[in-house]
Amino acid sequence: MMDVKKIREDFPIFNVKPHGKRLVYLDNAATTQKPESVIKAMEEYYEKLNANVYRSPHYLSVLSTEAYEKARDKVKKFVNAKSEESIIFTRNTTESINFIAYTWGMKHIKEGDEIVLTIAEHHSNILPWQMVAEAKGAKLKYVYLDENFRLSMKDFEEKMSDRVKLVAVQHMSNVLGIINPVEEITQIAHKYGAKVLVDGAQSVPHMKVDLKKINCDFFAFSGHKMLGPMGIGVLYIKEDLLDEVPPFLRGGEMIDEVYEEYSTFAPPPLKFEAGTPNVEGAYVLISAIDYLERIGLENIYEHEAKLLEYGLEKINTLEYVKTYGPMDSKDRGGIISFNVEGVHPHDVATILDEEGIAVRSGHHCCQPLMRYLGVPATVRASFYLYNDFDDIDALVEALKKVRKWFK
Amino acid sequence: MSDLNQLYSEIIMEHYENSPHRRELKEATLKERGHNPLCGDDITIYLKINGDVIEDASFTGHGCAISQASTSMMIDLIKGKDKKEALRLVQKFIDMIHKKDVDLEELGDAQVLQGVSDFPARVKCALLAWKTLQDTLK
């Protein structure tokens, strides 16, 4: 059992009283708050080890280079990747996915090829593939949901063929919370010779992710959604593809030898990290992972499952609220999207905000999914390790007030 | 609570729920869509312009109470006005939302939206229709 009260004490942000109210932070799918140890680590980096990495032979540069490499090793173990060469630091999930679209995608996807996506993808896992498809004359194919709001594996199998070169799929939906069977998806895709990219932005912060088990070819996630800082993200490229993927950006740090007319590149992962990287972000990410590991990802997942169950039960007692997503909490993360009858999500969010409750309203960067669900927008409450039943009770009470404003 | 009272006043709710201007205008001479891509408010404004005069106007669409009420109030205000006068009033409304000192009386019902200027996250909702009209008439 997690001691949420104690965990909350580690997060200084809870001293903020929005509109004089207790902060009920339910916007964790957008970004998470940071524990004191993470905030301290930012300061520590600039107070004790700041220097550019890989270049200079001086004391501080050795320290910062070691810290940067330690972060890579930490991430590698955290997601159980096989080798450090596979872990590339980026800005965020969006950059990681664009990275693969611009490099591997533009090189290997050809006219007539197909890219399979799901209808629930975040725009960041749609737009890069639209770009590749348009440039190369390839075709996008979408997999839709079944009647229980889960990815239809039947539809997926029907969309697969030898023409499919890539399957780009989210691990967990940022709207419905569904966790897709990415291991099974990868197995099926590989049978057809297709590569698999998994968007792990919503899964990595909330559950144990094992890349050896999933066996996908590319995997992307962001630091700021897992207690870490903004501006540091991760791209995983499977070992056997490291040579096949060309560099994304070119310049400093990523070279072997440079001549007037041509250059050779450093071995991976440096080949993929041109320019001065976000060393501070990587260093602070170590602290975020430390914190998550101290609490335990299994415990966090279990805790959020309880919150989800409790939240669904409570919210569904309000007959004027409609929730979207599977009715059960199996293979589902702590995300509840809903609408209040007759009230636009923005108005709901503004009224909740007056009560100190932070939620997101809108299309959640998932316009195709919104269209598929037949709604212009939803309100979304998303949980994390510092949320408890009181937060959900506060949400439910506030929703009753929303109703009063719009009778 | 007083802040929310201002934001969701009776008159705003009335425009939101029962706007007389929410309809398609078959004889429209100008039709312009406006939307806030980040939040999904989406309106279409219909204008029937004769010479310089906006003889009739209406709107359709969906969005939050603020965006829809604001659109309805704007139509109220500009109907029957000539284009130049309509543009002047639009600018006045935009100034009000940006907390500039303006004579509110001229804005009719729309002056009650002044409270939105205290909700920075909602300013875009209030301005959507007015900016759309500005783009159309300019």
Side-chain angles (χ1 to χ4, degrees), chain A residues 129-383:
Chain A
W129 307 118
Q130 288 178 342
M131 185 270 302
V132 173
E134 202 191 330
K136 297 291 171 179
K139 214 174 151 192
L140 300 182
K141 290 226 157 171
Y142 285 88
V143 181
Y144 297 94
L145 308 178
D146 64 19
E147 61 287 342
N148 195 26
F149 294 98
R150 291 195 183 276
L151 194 69
S152 165
M153 288 302 282
K154 190 172 161 276
D155 191 27
F156 171 62
E157 298 218 35
E158 279 168 17
K159 297 282 157 66
M160 287 307 296
S161 72
D162 294 335
R163 290 184 300 277
V164 179
K165 290 293 171 299
L166 177 78
V167 175
V169 58
Q170 61 193 188
H171 200 174
M172 185 196 291
S173 160
N174 65 316
V175 174
L176 303 169
I178 51 168
I179 297 169
N180 289 322
V182 287
E183 196 182 327
E184 194 189 337
I185 288 170
T186 303
Q187 260 175 24
I188 295 167
H190 282 174
K191 268 198 290 193
Y192 289 93
K195 300 285 184 261
V196 177
L197 178 141
V198 176
D199 166 3
Q202 297 297 338
S203 63
V204 171
H206 303 277
M207 59 193 273
K208 189 81 198 111
V209 168
D210 185 334
L211 290 183
K212 277 186 198 149
K213 221 170 128 214
I214 295 172
N215 198 30
C216 60
D217 303 283
F218 311 110
F219 191 93
F221 59 100
S222 298
H224 72 98
K225 290 190 203 286
M226 47 182 285
L227 310 181
M230 291 185 175
I232 187 83
V234 175
L235 167 65
Y236 161 88
I237 302 177
K238 204 201 248 172
E239 326 64 75
D240 54 359
L241 291 172
L242 289 168
D243 292 331
E244 207 174 295
V245 178
F248 181 27
L249 302 175
R250 292 158 197 247
E253 204 189 286
M254 52 81 69
I255 53 100
D256 178 26
E257 285 180 301
V258 178
Y259 298 93
E260 285 187 23
E261 303 299 332
Y262 74 97
S263 302
T264 54
F265 308 128
L270 293 196
K271 156 184 151 184
F272 298 116
E273 292 180 352
T276 299
N278 183 357
V279 187
E280 174 222 320
Y283 178 74
V284 178
L285 193 59
I286 299 176
S287 294
I289 294 174
D290 276 340
Y291 192 95
L292 290 173
E293 285 180 334
R294 205 155 57 235
I295 306 289
L297 265 302
E298 287 86 356
N299 293 331
I300 294 170
Y301 184 78
E302 218 174 278
H303 173 69
E304 288 178 31
K306 279 183 200 142
L307 291 175
L308 176 69
E309 248 167 70
Y310 184 78
L312 281 175
E313 190 195 313
K314 283 279 175 174
I315 292 172
N316 281 326
T317 59
L318 307 171
E319 72 279 4
Y320 45 84
V321 176
K322 180 176 167 47
T323 55
Y324 303 93
M327 277 306 134
D328 56 302
S329 57
K330 192 182 156 279
D331 293 331
R332 179 170 175 190
I335 293 173
I336 303 180
S337 281
F338 60 92
N339 267 321
V340 180
E341 199 186 293
V343 192
H344 193 274
H346 289 184
D347 295 315
V348 177
T350 295
I351 297 170
L352 295 185
D353 178 58
E354 284 293 302
E355 300 295 323
I357 301 169
V359 294
R360 179 166 173 192
S361 62
H363 51 61
H364 317 290
C365 303
C366 290
Q367 286 184 5
L369 176 62
M370 293 290 125
R371 225 167 277 130
Y372 181 73
L373 294 173
V375 291
T378 73
V379 187
R380 178 186 69 190
S382 49
F383 311 128

Side-chain angles (χ1 to χ4, degrees), chain A residues 36-51:
Chain A
E36 209 168 357
S37 56
V38 165
I39 299 168
K40 284 258 158 65
M42 291 179 200
E43 219 174 273
E44 196 176 78
Y45 174 76
Y46 286 111
E47 282 182 354
K48 297 187 176 152
L49 54 151
N50 178 49

Side-chain angles (χ1 to χ4, degrees), chain A residues 342-344 346-351 354-355 360-363 367 376-377 401 405-407, chain B residues 1 3-5 7-8 13 16-17 37-41 62-66 119 122 125:
Chain A
V343 192
H344 193 274
H346 289 184
D347 295 315
V348 177
T350 295
I351 297 170
E354 284 293 302
E355 300 295 323
R360 179 166 173 192
S361 62
H363 51 61
Q367 286 184 5
K401 285 189 186 161
W405 284 98
F406 285 73
K407 33 189 191 301
Chain B
M1 258 343 196
D3 283 358
L4 279 184
N5 267 320
L7 197 59
Y8 297 113
M13 297 309 282
Y16 171 53
E17 282 164 354
L38 280 178
C39 49
D41 294 335
H62 56 81
C64 64
I66 306 305
F119 290 82
R122 305 305 296 275
C125 315

